[in-house]
Amino acid sequence: MTSPVIGITCAHVEEEISTYPRQYYVQAIAQCGGTPLLLPVPTSGGMARRYLELVDGLLLSGGGDVEPRYFGQEPMCGTGKVFPERDSFEIELVRVALQQDMPVLSICRGIQVLNIALGGDIYQDIFSQVPGALEHSQKIPRSFPWHKVDLVPGSRLGKIFGREEIRVNSFHHQAVKTVAPGFEVTARAADGLTEAIESSERRFAIGVQWHPEAMAPTDPMSIKLFEAFAVACRVQG
Ligand code: MN
């Protein structure tokens, strides 16, 4: 069976003028039989469609905050470092991918980009905007689960994990607020915050607020999400 090519978006280190994804993403895609292909933020327009010609699926990776103007807000206290070129590129990329019904898996920052691209918005800073929010920035290693999420029974995510509750890691201070039209919340933390969204109208369009790729090397449950994504990409390819 052919190995689906999965395009992985990239983060930046401004100080070193370099582009990178954490190796966890590459490893998780390889672990489920996919071929990882990095998609750097282009320096000229029109590259989103060209990139998507090369891949069978799109993985929006984690990273910094999204600039508030992309969801129609002014910057509030607590919004961190943004990289507008990455925002506009990834928003276009995911819109075009979903127009083509290409499978999309969005992780951490990725769930926020997905939701904003399709017309939703986010909390710029949950600690200042959501009273009683849990601690969502764990201080223990990335592979360690930190809080539980309740999965919606019957949802695609619920079926993938085969559970109503799993424990996940947490490295975010932003979160989905108003869910984009056509998407539903399929996982919540105990404080009510959205931890996953999906669209049942699409072949595969899932966003998770946690980092399953960082848990996958040691957690058999986490790799199930990548396996399901790879299966969807194979059908597409
Ligand atoms: Mn969390």
Side-chain angles (χ1 to χ4, degrees), residues 1-235:
M1 198 180 284
T2 50
S3 169
V5 179
I6 312 294
I8 304 173
T9 58
C10 298
H12 287 253
V13 183
E14 251 176 66
E15 295 75 17
E16 298 170 6
I17 319 177
S18 57
T19 296
Y20 76 97
R22 286 183 189 261
Q23 184 71 10
Y24 291 121
Y25 295 105
V26 173
Q27 192 177 339
I29 293 302
Q31 202 179 330
C32 64
T35 301
L37 185 71
L38 306 187
L39 307 178
V41 176
T43 51
S44 58
M47 287 300 280
R49 284 180 190 278
R50 176 68 189 124
Y51 281 174
L52 292 173
E53 288 170 8
L54 306 174
V55 302
D56 303 307
L58 175 65
L59 194 165
L60 291 180
S61 67
D65 290 359
V66 181
E67 194 183 357
R69 70 182 164 99
Y70 289 106
F71 46 98
Q73 294 181 10
E74 287 297 298
M76 293 178 181
C77 258
T79 277
K81 198 167 185 178
V82 299
F83 183 38
E85 293 89 347
R86 183 181 181 191
D87 297 338
S88 60
F89 164 61
E90 288 188 341
I91 286 169
E92 182 190 3
L93 196 62
V94 72
R95 279 182 185 155
V96 175
L98 289 176
Q99 277 166 15
Q100 300 174 357
D101 208 19
M102 180 181 285
V104 173
L105 176 60
S106 302
I107 291 178
C108 200
R109 164 192 160 84
I111 186 179
Q112 287 140 25
V113 171
L114 170 69
N115 192 52
I116 290 163
L118 277 291
D121 68 7
I122 63 170
Y123 293 109
Q124 293 186 34
D125 181 52
I126 55 181
F127 304 110
S128 48
Q129 290 182 268
V130 184
L134 295 174
E135 177 57 85
H136 285 274
S137 296
Q138 70 188 55
K139 310 297 188 293
I140 55 174
R142 299 185 80 77
S143 61
F144 287 23
W146 178 243
H147 66 66
K148 69 160 188 157
V149 296
D150 293 313
L151 302 170
V152 173
S155 65
R156 186 151 196 178
L157 204 61
K159 287 177 187 161
I160 288 169
F161 291 119
R163 299 250 196 103
E164 292 190 4
E165 179 188 314
I166 57 170
R167 295 194 70 80
V168 301
N169 56 11
S170 194
F171 297 92
H172 59 107
H173 81 108
Q174 301 196 314
V176 167
K177 188 179 177 191
T178 308
V179 181
F183 280 76
E184 309 95 46
V185 176
T186 53
R188 283 186 196 280
D191 55 12
L193 281 172
T194 295
E195 288 273 342
I197 61 172
E198 67 185 50
S199 172
S200 55
E201 300 162 9
R202 316 274 181 175
R203 187 187 297 265
F204 187 106
I206 293 180
V208 295
Q209 189 63 69
W210 65 95
H211 282 278
E213 80 289 355
M215 298 176 70
T218 50
D219 174 36
M221 192 59 80
S222 291
I223 200 66
K224 287 175 183 244
L225 181 56
F226 293 95
E227 285 169 352
F229 179 47
V231 166
C233 295
R234 278 198 185 93
V235 172

